[in-house]
PDB file of all heavy atoms in Angstrom:
ATOM      1  N   PRO B 259      -5.031  -6.674 -35.223  1.00 38.00           N
ATOM      2  CA  PRO B 259      -4.777  -6.505 -36.663  1.00 38.00           C
ATOM      3  C   PRO B 259      -3.511  -5.676 -36.925  1.00 38.00           C
ATOM      4  O   PRO B 259      -3.212  -5.371 -38.057  1.00 38.00           O
ATOM      5  CB  PRO B 259      -6.012  -5.740 -37.138  1.00 38.00           C
ATOM      6  CG  PRO B 259      -6.790  -5.371 -35.919  1.00 38.00           C
ATOM      7  CD  PRO B 259      -6.017  -5.756 -34.721  1.00 38.00           C
ATOM      8  N   ARG B 262       4.084  -4.491 -35.538  1.00 37.00           N
ATOM      9  CA  ARG B 262       5.167  -3.621 -35.905  1.00 37.00           C
ATOM     10  C   ARG B 262       5.465  -3.728 -37.389  1.00 37.00           C
ATOM     11  O   ARG B 262       5.727  -2.748 -38.075  1.00 37.00           O
ATOM     12  CB  ARG B 262       6.401  -4.026 -35.072  1.00 37.00           C
ATOM     13  CG  ARG B 262       7.535  -3.059 -35.133  1.00 37.00           C
ATOM     14  CD  ARG B 262       8.672  -3.592 -34.284  1.00 37.00           C
ATOM     15  NE  ARG B 262       9.906  -2.956 -34.677  1.00 37.00           N
ATOM     16  CZ  ARG B 262      10.534  -2.047 -33.965  1.00 37.00           C
ATOM     17  NH1 ARG B 262      10.020  -1.656 -32.835  1.00 37.00           N
ATOM     18  NH2 ARG B 262      11.655  -1.511 -34.375  1.00 37.00           N
ATOM     19  N   ALA B 272       2.476   4.567 -47.724  1.00 42.00           N
ATOM     20  CA  ALA B 272       1.729   5.806 -47.784  1.00 42.00           C
ATOM     21  C   ALA B 272       2.061   6.668 -46.562  1.00 42.00           C
ATOM     22  O   ALA B 272       2.225   6.153 -45.474  1.00 42.00           O
ATOM     23  CB  ALA B 272       0.258   5.497 -47.826  1.00 42.00           C
ATOM     24  N   GLY B 285     -16.748  -5.429 -33.679  1.00 60.00           N
ATOM     25  CA  GLY B 285     -17.440  -6.715 -33.757  1.00 60.00           C
ATOM     26  C   GLY B 285     -16.791  -7.793 -32.935  1.00 60.00           C
ATOM     27  O   GLY B 285     -17.356  -8.867 -32.736  1.00 60.00           O
ATOM     28  N   PRO B 289     -11.257  -8.767 -24.586  1.00 60.00           N
ATOM     29  CA  PRO B 289     -10.682  -9.881 -23.817  1.00 60.00           C
ATOM     30  C   PRO B 289     -11.092  -9.781 -22.360  1.00 60.00           C
ATOM     31  O   PRO B 289     -11.170  -8.695 -21.804  1.00 60.00           O
ATOM     32  CB  PRO B 289      -9.170  -9.634 -23.972  1.00 60.00           C
ATOM     33  CG  PRO B 289      -9.022  -8.183 -24.232  1.00 60.00           C
ATOM     34  CD  PRO B 289     -10.259  -7.773 -24.959  1.00 60.00           C
ATOM     35  N   VAL B 302       2.978  -8.698   8.530  1.00 98.00           N
ATOM     36  CA  VAL B 302       3.590  -7.464   8.058  1.00 98.00           C
ATOM     37  C   VAL B 302       3.971  -6.607   9.255  1.00 98.00           C
ATOM     38  O   VAL B 302       3.115  -6.233  10.046  1.00 98.00           O
ATOM     39  CB  VAL B 302       2.645  -6.680   7.114  1.00 98.00           C
ATOM     40  CG1 VAL B 302       3.272  -5.356   6.710  1.00 98.00           C
ATOM     41  CG2 VAL B 302       2.286  -7.506   5.894  1.00 98.00           C
ATOM     42  N   ALA B 313      -4.794 -13.228  -7.641  1.00 93.00           N
ATOM     43  CA  ALA B 313      -3.545 -13.940  -7.930  1.00 93.00           C
ATOM     44  C   ALA B 313      -2.495 -12.981  -8.512  1.00 93.00           C
ATOM     45  O   ALA B 313      -1.307 -13.136  -8.284  1.00 93.00           O
ATOM     46  CB  ALA B 313      -3.797 -15.080  -8.894  1.00 93.00           C
ATOM     47  N   ASN B 327      -0.112   0.575   3.943  1.00 98.00           N
ATOM     48  CA  ASN B 327       1.274   0.772   4.396  1.00 98.00           C
ATOM     49  C   ASN B 327       2.067   1.273   3.187  1.00 98.00           C
ATOM     50  O   ASN B 327       2.520   0.495   2.341  1.00 98.00           O
ATOM     51  CB  ASN B 327       1.848  -0.533   4.911  1.00 98.00           C
ATOM     52  CG  ASN B 327       3.281  -0.381   5.389  1.00 98.00           C
ATOM     53  OD1 ASN B 327       3.964   0.605   5.056  1.00 98.00           O
ATOM     54  ND2 ASN B 327       3.751  -1.334   6.168  1.00 98.00           N
ATOM     55  N   CYS B 334       9.463   2.371 -10.399  1.00 96.00           N
ATOM     56  CA  CYS B 334       9.672   1.877 -11.764  1.00 96.00           C
ATOM     57  C   CYS B 334       8.727   0.742 -12.126  1.00 96.00           C
ATOM     58  O   CYS B 334       8.423   0.496 -13.262  1.00 96.00           O
ATOM     59  CB  CYS B 334      11.124   1.426 -11.954  1.00 96.00           C
ATOM     60  SG  CYS B 334      11.496  -0.118 -11.099  1.00 96.00           S
ATOM     61  N   LEU B 346      11.696  -9.869   3.029  1.00 97.00           N
ATOM     62  CA  LEU B 346      10.767 -10.981   3.016  1.00 97.00           C
ATOM     63  C   LEU B 346      11.514 -12.148   3.666  1.00 97.00           C
ATOM     64  O   LEU B 346      12.483 -12.642   3.112  1.00 97.00           O
ATOM     65  CB  LEU B 346      10.378 -11.302   1.566  1.00 97.00           C
ATOM     66  CG  LEU B 346       9.323 -12.364   1.345  1.00 97.00           C
ATOM     67  CD1 LEU B 346       7.957 -11.905   1.868  1.00 97.00           C
ATOM     68  CD2 LEU B 346       9.237 -12.724  -0.129  1.00 97.00           C
ATOM     69  N   GLU B 349      15.120 -11.552   3.716  1.00 96.00           N
ATOM     70  CA  GLU B 349      15.848 -11.322   2.465  1.00 96.00           C
ATOM     71  C   GLU B 349      15.271 -10.096   1.755  1.00 96.00           C
ATOM     72  O   GLU B 349      14.064  -9.877   1.741  1.00 96.00           O
ATOM     73  CB  GLU B 349      15.684 -12.550   1.542  1.00 96.00           C
ATOM     74  CG  GLU B 349      16.388 -13.806   2.035  1.00 96.00           C
ATOM     75  CD  GLU B 349      17.908 -13.674   2.079  1.00 96.00           C
ATOM     76  OE1 GLU B 349      18.464 -13.023   1.161  1.00 96.00           O
ATOM     77  OE2 GLU B 349      18.506 -14.213   3.036  1.00 96.00           O
ATOM     78  N   VAL B 351      13.807  -8.006  -1.096  1.00 97.00           N
ATOM     79  CA  VAL B 351      13.102  -8.241  -2.370  1.00 97.00           C
ATOM     80  C   VAL B 351      12.513  -6.925  -2.867  1.00 97.00           C
ATOM     81  O   VAL B 351      12.293  -5.997  -2.102  1.00 97.00           O
ATOM     82  CB  VAL B 351      11.953  -9.271  -2.235  1.00 97.00           C
ATOM     83  CG1 VAL B 351      12.462 -10.642  -1.864  1.00 97.00           C
ATOM     84  CG2 VAL B 351      10.896  -8.783  -1.240  1.00 97.00           C
ATOM     85  N   GLY B 363       2.504 -17.262   4.595  1.00 97.00           N
ATOM     86  CA  GLY B 363       3.225 -17.595   5.810  1.00 97.00           C
ATOM     87  C   GLY B 363       4.494 -16.782   6.026  1.00 97.00           C
ATOM     88  O   GLY B 363       5.221 -17.009   6.993  1.00 97.00           O
ATOM     89  N   GLY B 371       8.346  -0.969  10.146  1.00 98.00           N
ATOM     90  CA  GLY B 371       8.522  -1.984  11.172  1.00 98.00           C
ATOM     91  C   GLY B 371       9.934  -1.954  11.782  1.00 98.00           C
ATOM     92  O   GLY B 371      10.198  -2.511  12.841  1.00 98.00           O
ATOM     93  N   LYS B 377      10.951   5.774  18.217  1.00 98.00           N
ATOM     94  CA  LYS B 377      11.971   4.768  18.513  1.00 98.00           C
ATOM     95  C   LYS B 377      12.642   4.333  17.227  1.00 98.00           C
ATOM     96  O   LYS B 377      12.433   3.233  16.726  1.00 98.00           O
ATOM     97  CB  LYS B 377      11.284   3.547  19.167  1.00 98.00           C
ATOM     98  CG  LYS B 377      11.742   3.323  20.619  1.00 98.00           C
ATOM     99  CD  LYS B 377      11.176   2.049  21.140  1.00 98.00           C
ATOM    100  CE  LYS B 377      12.273   1.203  21.809  1.00 98.00           C
ATOM    101  NZ  LYS B 377      11.776  -0.070  22.262  1.00 98.00           N
ATOM    102  N   ALA B 384      20.748   7.879  11.714  1.00 98.00           N
ATOM    103  CA  ALA B 384      21.923   8.334  10.965  1.00 98.00           C
ATOM    104  C   ALA B 384      21.521   8.965   9.627  1.00 98.00           C
ATOM    105  O   ALA B 384      22.152   9.930   9.173  1.00 98.00           O
ATOM    106  CB  ALA B 384      22.882   7.176  10.748  1.00 98.00           C
ATOM    107  N   VAL B 386      18.980  10.718   9.103  1.00 98.00           N
ATOM    108  CA  VAL B 386      18.529  12.079   9.392  1.00 98.00           C
ATOM    109  C   VAL B 386      19.720  12.974   9.754  1.00 98.00           C
ATOM    110  O   VAL B 386      19.875  14.079   9.226  1.00 98.00           O
ATOM    111  CB  VAL B 386      17.472  12.090  10.524  1.00 98.00           C
ATOM    112  CG1 VAL B 386      17.049  13.503  10.869  1.00 98.00           C
ATOM    113  CG2 VAL B 386      16.267  11.259  10.120  1.00 98.00           C
ATOM    114  N   LEU B 408      24.030  -4.592   7.006  1.00 98.00           N
ATOM    115  CA  LEU B 408      24.589  -4.605   8.357  1.00 98.00           C
ATOM    116  C   LEU B 408      24.215  -5.873   9.138  1.00 98.00           C
ATOM    117  O   LEU B 408      24.912  -6.254  10.068  1.00 98.00           O
ATOM    118  CB  LEU B 408      24.146  -3.348   9.144  1.00 98.00           C
ATOM    119  CG  LEU B 408      24.607  -2.010   8.569  1.00 98.00           C
ATOM    120  CD1 LEU B 408      24.284  -0.872   9.521  1.00 98.00           C
ATOM    121  CD2 LEU B 408      26.121  -2.005   8.270  1.00 98.00           C
ATOM    122  N   LYS B 410      24.465  -8.721   7.853  1.00 97.00           N
ATOM    123  CA  LYS B 410      25.434  -9.732   7.425  1.00 97.00           C
ATOM    124  C   LYS B 410      26.869  -9.288   7.659  1.00 97.00           C
ATOM    125  O   LYS B 410      27.785 -10.099   7.750  1.00 97.00           O
ATOM    126  CB  LYS B 410      25.260 -10.000   5.918  1.00 97.00           C
ATOM    127  CG  LYS B 410      23.989 -10.790   5.643  1.00 97.00           C
ATOM    128  CD  LYS B 410      23.796 -10.981   4.155  1.00 97.00           C
ATOM    129  CE  LYS B 410      22.437 -11.644   3.894  1.00 97.00           C
ATOM    130  NZ  LYS B 410      21.752 -11.133   2.745  1.00 97.00           N
ATOM    131  N   LYS B 412      29.022  -6.472   9.868  1.00 97.00           N
ATOM    132  CA  LYS B 412      28.945  -5.433  10.900  1.00 97.00           C
ATOM    133  C   LYS B 412      29.881  -4.239  10.614  1.00 97.00           C
ATOM    134  O   LYS B 412      29.714  -3.175  11.172  1.00 97.00           O
ATOM    135  CB  LYS B 412      29.325  -6.022  12.279  1.00 97.00           C
ATOM    136  CG  LYS B 412      28.435  -7.150  12.725  1.00 97.00           C
ATOM    137  CD  LYS B 412      27.333  -6.641  13.656  1.00 97.00           C
ATOM    138  CE  LYS B 412      26.364  -7.756  14.026  1.00 97.00           C
ATOM    139  NZ  LYS B 412      25.266  -7.898  13.063  1.00 97.00           N
ATOM    140  N   GLY B 425      21.453  -1.572  -6.076  1.00 96.00           N
ATOM    141  CA  GLY B 425      20.120  -1.802  -6.620  1.00 96.00           C
ATOM    142  C   GLY B 425      19.110  -0.745  -6.263  1.00 96.00           C
ATOM    143  O   GLY B 425      17.943  -0.870  -6.577  1.00 96.00           O
TER     144      GLY B 425
END
Side-chain angles (χ1 to χ4, degrees):
Chain B
R262 191 180 160 107
V302 176
N327 180 344
C334 73
L346 185 67
E349 292 295 323
V351 296
K377 245 186 131 183
V386 178
L408 297 188
K410 287 176 186 141
K412 300 263 176 273

